[in-house]
Amino acid sequence: MNRLSPIGLCVVLSVLSTQGWAQTVVPMKGQNSQQTQLDINECNSIAASSTSTTSTPSGGRIKGAAAGAAAGATAAQVRGNQHDEIYDRVDDNTKQDYRQNRAKQTAAAGAVVGGSRQRQERRAQDKTNASTTSTAYTSCLQGKGYQVNP
């Protein structure tokens, strides 16, 4: 049975741990392969920690539902006021039920819209984090005397 040597295993793990940075690193100051690997690992750690403190957007669905409920109740009242002659003849419980139903419907729509906005914000944040991480990684290696090619 074929087994990986410890060196082969290290190479495989180092390739897998680069987290998608498919860049060529060329030593410019005569660094040996061991020093190069140490520097790459250190720069990976620095780059990974550069985005660990950013916050992610949250509460989009709840905010959307709350805004939707308020809008729905207000719209129901406005709509009722547009039809004063009919609306005045309806008892208060029916009016309240109508406003609550409209608020529920628009709250559900608001939750969907809020969730969509939250996902868009999260994708934008992920893209920014990836760019920041890549820049930190490249800058670190260049500071240690390497040429980094995409």
Side-chain angles (χ1 to χ4, degrees), residues 35-141:
Q35 183 61 45
T36 300
Q37 190 59 48
L38 289 173
D39 290 341
I40 287 173
N41 289 340
E42 182 180 352
C43 289
N44 274 337
S45 296
I46 290 170
S49 67
S50 71
T51 58
S52 63
T53 59
T54 60
S55 64
T56 57
S58 63
R61 287 182 183 89
I62 294 171
K63 291 175 188 174
T74 303
Q77 184 64 41
V78 168
R79 188 168 188 168
N81 290 341
Q82 288 174 345
H83 304 287
D84 280 335
E85 65 281 350
I86 298 170
Y87 200 63
D88 288 339
R89 288 185 267 165
V90 177
D91 67 2
D92 287 338
N93 287 336
T94 305
K95 290 177 188 177
Q96 183 65 23
D97 288 344
Y98 176 69
R99 285 192 297 268
Q100 286 178 350
N101 286 338
R102 293 293 296 163
K104 287 178 189 177
Q105 291 169 353
T106 54
V112 170
V113 171
S116 175
R117 286 185 183 155
Q118 182 179 354
R119 284 187 298 279
Q120 289 173 345
E121 290 172 7
R122 188 174 296 131
R123 281 192 293 269
Q125 184 67 42
D126 289 347
K127 189 174 183 179
T128 301
N129 287 349
S131 176
T132 302
T133 302
S134 178
T135 301
Y137 176 74
T138 301
S139 297
C140 176
L141 284 174

